[in-house]
Amino acid sequence: MQINRVFVNSYRAVCSAALNAEDLFKVVCTQKSGIKTSTTFYADKTVGIGIVKVDLEKSLLEEIGTVLKNSNLDNFEETLLVIGSSVGGMRLSEEKYFQDNSYKNINPALHVIDSISYKISQKYTFKDDLSFSTACTSSANALGYAYEVISKGVYKNVLVVGYDTLCKTTVGGFYALGVLSANRCKPFDKNRDGMNVAEGLGILLLQNKQIDTSVEFCGVGYSSDAFHMTQPNPEGAKKAMQNALTCKGLQPEDISYINAHGTGTKANDSSEISAIESLFGKSVPVSSTKSITGHTLGAAGALEAILSVVSLQKQIIMPNSNLEYPEAEGMNYVLKAEEKEINYILSNSFAFGGNNTSLLFGTIK
């Protein structure tokens, strides 16, 4: 039973395309990508990749400080911290290993998934913390959990952090799966050839009280289809979106826009667009922002939630960049930024193992 409404009251974003949320929304709308061709991680492997131009670990604490400064809070002592990350502190461990040619000096506290909350807790005091690692749905699930505990009256304030950095292990893992493109990815295009792995940071302060700039977090839908270790199932994606609609008692025609997971891989794109067409038909506007930001893995859900919130605040639908030859003809792919009345947005995140999460955001009613 829902006791409280849930509002997004502050947010910060850092990724390869921009160093703040306002600039990120602008580059998405003007289709200026942060993806660059790189051989940084493996000299014999050329990949399109999204590398942040600043120290992401330093930015993590700075951006949390900015959220606190911009909030109605004096501190975080009555706030729950929820982290979403796919790889945790793997980059630091990897750097230490190659530096020492040994694993013995790796600090376990800086390696595991809750290494991010460990770092944050060195500077800020939270009521408690929790970490999610569910691959590419990590921060979407963190946001879903935050929605649950606020709506049920367990917490009044929850700070959600989506965070992932890149390292050889991460890049090499996706390369071994054969899903990395050497160029900027092309979500939903017939000629797509893979994704762009990237790093990023997304922070959202969720509260049970509305402020002037609030966007409502209206619900979350989950599914776990367990269809295949890496291949998605359209029915799982469809179920997650259906469950999100149920939270607010909405019908498919109530959705103004879908911010798709849209990675640019053949398996994901065809599965997701099939699920969208099955539930919504072909008229709902759809786009993916990953040709601009890259796929930021565990941070993707948080970053795309922020973009959805800004989209609602500005009443502008974001375009699907780098789309020339749509695979599914007749779908309403957004090809350029469009001013339009937007009431509700679904933001999708899907992960290996059939873990699917769909977040529902809306204007204040």
Side-chain angles (χ1 to χ4, degrees), residues 268-286:
N268 174 87
D269 288 7
S270 59
S271 176
E272 183 173 15
I273 213 66
S274 174
I276 290 172
E277 184 176 357
S278 174
L279 182 58
F280 297 92
K282 293 185 176 184
S283 62
V284 63
V286 178

Side-chain angles (χ1 to χ4, degrees), residues 299-365:
L303 279 170
E304 289 164 22
I306 291 168
L307 285 170
S308 298
V309 167
V310 180
S311 181
L312 281 159
Q313 289 173 328
K314 294 184 178 294
Q315 294 287 283
I316 296 175
I317 293 179
M318 298 174 287
N320 196 108
S321 182
N322 213 23
L323 177 57
E324 298 177 283
Y325 304 102
E327 179 184 40
E329 294 182 4
M331 293 298 297
N332 188 7
Y333 295 112
V334 184
L335 300 181
K336 62 180 181 178
E338 178 183 347
E339 290 188 22
K340 182 180 178 180
E341 181 181 356
I342 308 172
N343 293 313
Y344 296 102
I345 289 177
L346 277 180
S347 186
N348 289 338
S349 293
F350 307 132
F352 288 163
N355 187 274
N356 310 296
T357 304
S358 190
L359 306 176
L360 176 64
F361 299 96
T363 52
I364 305 300
K365 302 290 186 181

Side-chain angles (χ1 to χ4, degrees), residues 66-257:
T66 300
V67 168
L68 179 59
K69 182 180 178 181
N70 293 341
S71 74
N72 54 5
L73 301 173
D74 295 322
N75 54 57
F76 289 127
E77 292 180 0
E78 295 302 318
T79 300
L80 174 67
L81 173 65
V82 187
I83 305 293
S85 179
S86 181
V87 300
M90 188 183 294
R91 185 182 69 83
L92 292 177
S93 296
E94 187 181 272
E95 287 179 352
K96 193 65 178 173
Y97 175 81
F98 285 117
Q99 175 185 314
D100 299 346
N101 199 29
S102 170
Y103 67 89
K104 293 183 179 179
N105 293 324
I106 292 173
N107 183 351
L110 298 178
H111 175 82
V112 292
I113 292 301
D114 64 0
S115 63
I116 298 145
S117 60
Y118 173 80
K119 292 173 195 171
I120 295 170
S121 66
Q122 305 306 298
K123 186 170 182 179
Y124 302 101
T125 299
F126 287 82
K127 182 78 170 180
D128 203 352
D129 64 79
L130 185 69
S131 298
F132 283 81
S133 183
T134 53
C136 301
T137 55
S138 295
S139 58
N141 284 332
L143 281 162
Y145 183 84
Y147 169 82
E148 300 276 0
V149 295
I150 293 177
S151 66
K152 293 174 182 175
V154 181
Y155 279 90
K156 296 179 180 179
N157 313 299
V158 181
L159 188 74
V160 175
V161 177
Y163 179 88
D164 260 333
T165 56
L166 291 178
C167 62
K168 287 179 178 290
T169 305
T170 305
V171 177
F174 282 99
Y175 192 89
L177 289 171
V179 296
L180 291 187
S181 175
N183 306 294
R184 184 156 67 103
C185 70
K186 300 171 72 69
F188 306 120
D189 196 289
K190 290 179 181 178
N191 298 325
R192 67 193 183 278
D193 63 353
M195 59 180 275
N196 301 135
V197 68
E199 57 190 358
L201 164 66
I203 305 170
L204 301 94
L205 177 63
L206 308 182
Q207 297 182 291
N208 67 349
K209 291 184 178 180
Q210 178 185 343
I211 62 174
D212 290 343
T213 57
S214 292
V215 164
E216 187 168 5
F217 187 177
C218 301
V220 56
Y222 308 104
S223 71
S224 184
D225 57 66
F227 171 71
H228 187 274
M229 186 175 290
T230 58
Q231 301 298 313
N233 184 337
E235 288 303 311
K238 180 180 177 181
K239 187 66 175 176
M241 291 186 287
Q242 284 177 320
N243 289 340
L245 296 179
T246 300
C247 284
K248 192 69 175 175
L250 300 181
Q251 298 301 313
E253 56 268 25
D254 294 320
I255 298 302
S256 308
Y257 161 66

